[in-house]
Amino acid sequence: MRIKSIVYDKFLWFLIITLLILGIFFRFANIDRKIYEFDEVYTSLRISGYTMAEMEQELRDGHLVSIEELQKYQAPNSEKNVVDTIKGLALEESQLTPLYFILARFWVQWFGHSVAAIRSLSACISLLTFPAIYWLCQELFASPIIGWIAIALIAISPVHVIYAQVARFYSLWTVLILLSSAALLRAIRVKTNLSWSIYSVTVIFGLYTHLFFGLVAISQGIYVVVIERFRLSKTLISYILASLVGLITFSPWLFILITSPNPETLSWMQVQDTLLRITVKWVGIVSRTFLDIGVSPSSPLTLKLGLIPFILILLILIAYAIYFICRNTPQRVHFFVLTLICSVGLPLILADFILQQSYGATKYILPYSLGIQLAFAYLIATKLNYSFGNIWQQKIWKTLTSMLIIMGVISCTISAQAEMWWNSHPSSNRYIPPIADVVNQSPQPLVISDYDDLKDIQVLGYQLEPKVRLLLVKEPNIPEIPKGFSDVFLFRPSESLRTGLGERYNTQIKRIYTPFWTLENHTDD
């Protein structure tokens, strides 16, 4: 069923505009408040043009490192250029494609490398999701009101707001998914060479933004094949040619990925898990499109139990939205939504449950979120139509729509005030702010570490004041403590470092936090 001319009250339009304004506000509110986490540190390393190997070699030679020197590997500089950014990715993280990092480097050169500046790129890109999803709704439903409702839903969607404030490529990926989807539907409709060329360009940009865009492109191919009834029609031929152009253009990076894989960067996916924990994880991932108050595996059990009724309601509504759009729209509409929902989410779900490993993550199933929001936009627009259903149905669906809106606004409000969220790796990073507070209170602090992963040092570095100095060594080296420091702290020290310093300076090592120690009664003598 298409919605063409529908009578809606003025309050609905006021609500949509209000939610759009709120969505823009949430994307920029307190954008530098949350801790600059591991993945973002890697983003800044790529922007700098240095590799992890170079940073390790230059910082771990036993000299005193200032915060300014530490930040050298987190910002553009005269020693490296954009080619070095691409080389760093190719050598150490070939599973990441370079488009976002190139854009980020130029952005930081123009606007500075502060946390707010680098994150604002993602926030600004995320604003493009509004016209992009409106265009997609026009191509899919030919209904302005569905497009506006979709804009309202995506504006206050917690998952989209979270990734709009992260210095990573997820906002750009989201925009390109929407643009390629709309471009494909337009090309199928108008059947011109220009329209297929535009689609091909979106495929190229999408592949150079995220490898999982390939799964989206495959789902789009399945859609075209089914819609064309498995016939080698002109439309299918045009799609194949446009996709081949995209694949050929992407082939240089595909060659790098095949010849220079770096499986160590994906080792976190290989963790074995139980079916129960996988199920709970996926329930949380699915519900974060509409409800997210920062629950992570380390959250209290009472909080998790309290969310169960709301999550069950959400799961029922999601299932009904999918059923409703399948029941009331032509195949070309609902099958497109289904392929978008399943494009990345279904392979990851199957991989998780079959292999019992942690392949699935919220950041990878943004296509699912977009597909669900399209289904909900159609459902809400239909149910709130005064010509559809009776007065009681109207009241029920107004109540349910209000509940979705309230969930989204509350989620975004809580997130905007938080210093750490589930995507900030709280199990590892929750100690960073209190550790930094202790160090910063010292008049002349020295931090010593032989921890084998410098990304943790960089995360801490964003919280430390310029007066702090660091001494970074390799295990099992025991450094000499230079004179002139009032307090000496150990960050994630090995057992050999703790024992060696205690014996060399005949002093006790006191634990402050699990990864943080201090030398008691340290003097310069």
Side-chain angles (χ1 to χ4, degrees):
M1 174 173 41
R2 288 190 179 182
I3 303 174
K4 293 183 178 179
S5 57
I6 303 173
V7 178
Y8 293 94
D9 55 33
K10 293 181 179 179
F11 177 75
L12 177 61
W13 290 104
F14 172 78
L15 180 63
I16 290 172
I17 299 301
T18 301
L19 294 178
L20 176 57
I21 294 172
L22 277 175
I24 296 172
F25 168 77
F26 284 134
R27 280 160 171 77
F28 292 93
N30 296 325
I31 197 168
D32 59 346
R33 184 179 180 88
K34 292 182 181 64
I35 191 170
Y36 202 70
E37 47 89 12
F38 302 152
D39 289 340
E40 294 177 301
V41 163
Y42 277 123
T43 294
S44 292
L45 177 64
R46 297 306 161 212
I47 290 173
S48 75
Y50 286 96
T51 64
M52 178 62 74
E54 289 174 323
M55 182 171 66
E56 287 273 354
Q57 181 180 0
E58 295 177 17
L59 292 181
R60 287 195 189 275
D61 62 358
H63 75 282
L64 287 177
V65 177
S66 66
I67 300 301
E68 181 182 2
E69 184 179 356
L70 196 66
Q71 290 293 307
K72 168 186 174 181
Y73 305 93
Q74 295 286 286
N77 56 81
S78 58
E79 298 178 6
K80 302 287 184 176
N81 55 35
V82 69
V83 176
D84 295 299
T85 293
I86 299 172
K87 286 181 179 178
L89 282 169
L91 288 172
E92 297 184 336
E93 293 185 282
S94 58
Q95 80 281 0
L96 301 181
T97 46
L99 179 58
Y100 166 80
F101 298 95
I102 295 172
L103 293 175
R105 181 179 174 91
F106 287 118
W107 180 274
V108 171
Q109 286 176 337
W110 294 331
F111 299 104
H113 65 275
S114 67
V115 172
I118 179 58
R119 285 176 172 169
S120 66
L121 172 61
S122 296
C124 290
I125 290 174
S126 73
L127 299 182
L128 298 177
T129 58
F130 303 141
I133 201 167
Y134 183 85
W135 179 26
L136 177 55
C137 287
Q138 285 295 94
E139 293 292 339
L140 196 59
F141 302 106
S143 170
I145 188 60
I146 296 180
W148 281 105
I149 292 175
I151 288 174
L153 290 176
I154 206 171
I156 58 166
S157 174
V159 71
H160 292 295
V161 172
I162 284 294
Y163 287 118
Q165 291 197 332
V166 174
R168 297 294 274 180
F169 40 78
Y170 302 112
S171 288
L172 181 60
W173 185 37
T174 301
V175 170
L176 287 168
I177 291 170
L178 293 171
L179 290 178
S180 69
S181 298
L184 174 64
L185 294 176
R186 184 177 185 275
I188 293 173
R189 177 172 58 85
V190 301
K191 304 181 188 304
T192 63
N193 291 334
L194 177 61
S195 63
W196 283 110
S197 298
I198 293 172
Y199 171 70
S200 184
V201 169
T202 64
V203 170
I204 294 169
F205 286 162
L207 290 173
Y208 272 104
T209 298
H210 199 309
L211 281 180
F212 278 176
F213 185 88
L215 295 176
V216 177
I218 291 172
S219 72
Q220 291 173 346
I222 294 172
Y223 172 78
V224 175
V225 169
V226 173
I227 293 301
E228 294 300 308
R229 303 185 184 279
F230 300 91
R231 294 178 293 107
L232 193 61
S233 61
K234 290 184 178 180
T235 297
L236 182 56
I237 293 173
S238 297
Y239 166 79
I240 293 173
L241 292 175
S243 299
L244 280 176
V245 170
L247 184 60
I248 292 171
T249 308
F250 183 66
S251 60
W253 197 265
L254 194 59
F255 176 78
I256 292 173
L257 178 64
I258 295 171
T259 57
S260 303
N262 193 357
E264 291 182 5
T265 59
L266 301 176
S267 59
W268 61 273
M269 288 184 171
Q270 311 303 320
V271 178
Q272 290 294 127
D273 219 337
T274 64
L275 290 176
L276 177 60
R277 288 176 59 87
I278 292 172
T279 301
V280 172
K281 179 190 75 172
W282 274 102
V283 168
I285 289 174
V286 167
S287 62
R288 279 176 180 156
T289 300
F290 300 100
L291 175 64
D292 178 16
I293 58 173
V295 174
S296 67
S298 59
S299 299
L301 179 61
T302 53
L303 178 60
K304 296 176 183 177
L305 293 176
L307 288 176
I308 288 177
F310 298 99
I311 291 176
L312 287 176
I313 293 173
L314 272 178
L315 294 178
I316 293 170
L317 285 175
I318 289 170
Y320 182 75
I322 294 173
Y323 164 78
F324 188 83
I325 197 171
C326 291
R327 183 74 174 81
N328 294 279
T329 61
Q331 183 191 42
R332 70 164 196 86
V333 174
H334 65 250
F335 189 66
F336 184 88
V337 174
L338 288 177
T339 53
L340 183 58
I341 291 172
C342 296
S343 59
V344 180
L346 184 59
L348 292 180
I349 288 175
L350 293 176
D352 270 14
F353 280 96
I354 294 173
L355 302 177
Q356 295 188 34
Q357 293 181 340
S358 298
Y359 291 98
T362 305
K363 58 189 176 183
Y364 296 143
I365 64 158
L366 293 175
Y368 150 82
S369 295
L370 295 173
I372 288 297
Q373 285 162 335
L374 290 173
F376 266 88
Y378 176 80
L379 173 65
I380 292 171
T382 304
K383 294 295 186 179
L384 295 186
N385 178 14
Y386 289 148
S387 64
F388 186 90
N390 56 43
I391 188 65
W392 288 108
Q393 288 181 327
Q394 291 284 326
K395 290 182 177 180
I396 290 172
W397 283 102
K398 283 183 178 180
T399 301
L400 292 173
T401 303
S402 299
M403 183 192 73
L404 289 176
I405 292 171
I406 292 170
M407 283 182 178
V409 172
I410 290 176
S411 298
C412 294
T413 301
I414 296 174
S415 170
Q417 304 303 316
E419 292 185 355
M420 194 170 299
W421 212 241
W422 52 263
N423 65 313
S424 303
H425 307 286
S427 60
S428 302
N429 287 336
R430 66 180 183 274
Y431 299 109
I432 297 295
I435 286 174
D437 288 341
V438 172
V439 174
N440 290 333
Q441 288 173 12
S442 173
Q444 293 175 303
L446 172 67
V447 177
I448 303 176
S449 180
D450 62 351
Y451 190 57
D452 61 357
D453 196 340
L454 278 182
K455 73 175 184 298
D456 292 68
I457 308 295
Q458 289 286 8
V459 171
L460 177 63
Y462 277 93
Q463 304 284 317
L464 297 176
E465 296 179 358
K467 64 181 178 181
V468 180
R469 294 295 180 268
L470 300 101
L471 188 57
L472 307 176
V473 297
K474 295 181 180 180
E475 188 180 0
N477 295 336
I478 308 299
E480 290 189 11
I481 300 177
K483 294 184 177 182
F485 294 99
S486 59
D487 298 280
V488 177
F489 303 100
L490 306 181
F491 179 69
R492 297 193 182 278
S494 65
E495 180 64 31
S496 62
L497 180 62
R498 294 200 308 268
T499 304
L501 286 175
E503 292 175 352
R504 171 174 291 186
Y505 292 95
N506 193 26
T507 186
Q508 295 292 319
I509 310 290
K510 178 184 177 183
R511 184 197 301 266
I512 300 179
Y513 296 103
T514 298
F516 189 54
W517 306 67
T518 183
L519 273 68
E520 289 190 320
N521 304 318
H522 168 74
T523 65
D524 292 338
D525 300 332

